[in-house]
Amino acid sequence: MAVYLIGDPTEDFERRDLRFGTKFPDKLQVLKVYFYFRNVMKKGPRESASSCIRKLVEVWSKEAPNVALREHRKCVLSLEKLVDELKNLEKSKNRQTKTQASNETSFVQGLTTTYG
């Protein structure tokens, strides 16, 4: 089941070819994994965010073990804020205004940045 502006949920983050440098998951990949836990695994919002962040920490610790990680709780809150932003956009998706189109465009462009 596709999610508005996100696409289909995925169970895991895409693996990147390390020969071309380390690439950490971007916000789009994080949201796809979040919605996998939320929609496919039928977990609650907080539990989905926590499970997603645990998976993300595994990737971070493997790719760059000497990088300082933020506190788990703060990462979960940050992800929940991103999900809330998406929900607010989805609530007004039927409005055909310049503001709505601009907000959607800026949100989608922001999804390509590395999460964290």
Side-chain angles (χ1 to χ4, degrees):
M1 179 176 129
V3 178
Y4 176 70
L5 296 178
I6 303 300
D8 291 323
T10 57
E11 184 176 359
D12 210 354
F13 302 107
E14 289 179 21
R15 297 290 180 209
R16 306 291 180 153
D17 190 343
L18 296 180
R19 291 178 293 169
F20 302 109
T22 302
K23 177 89 164 91
F24 295 109
D26 57 24
K27 291 178 181 179
L28 178 62
Q29 292 175 349
V30 172
L31 284 172
K32 284 184 176 199
V33 172
Y34 168 84
F35 282 109
Y36 173 80
F37 285 112
R38 183 78 175 110
N39 297 345
V40 177
M41 301 301 291
K42 305 291 185 198
K43 293 185 176 188
R46 177 67 47 99
E47 190 178 358
S48 296
S50 187
S51 298
C52 181
I53 294 300
R54 267 190 246 106
K55 266 190 181 266
L56 189 60
V57 167
E58 288 174 18
V59 171
W60 282 339
S61 60
K62 287 178 187 173
E63 301 297 329
N66 53 351
V67 172
L69 299 175
R70 290 177 21 193
E71 186 179 336
H72 181 81
R73 179 181 55 85
K74 289 183 180 179
C75 292
V76 169
L77 291 174
S78 173
L79 178 54
E80 288 176 339
K81 182 179 175 184
L82 187 62
V83 170
D84 286 343
E85 188 178 345
L86 176 64
K87 283 182 183 179
N88 288 335
L89 285 172
E90 187 175 13
K91 284 180 186 178
S92 29
K93 70 180 177 182
N94 293 327
R95 295 182 186 162
Q96 302 299 322
T97 64
K98 289 180 183 178
T99 303
Q100 177 67 13
S102 171
N103 290 343
E104 288 176 357
T105 302
S106 64
F107 181 80
V108 170
Q109 287 174 346
L111 292 178
T112 59
T113 60
T114 302
Y115 184 83

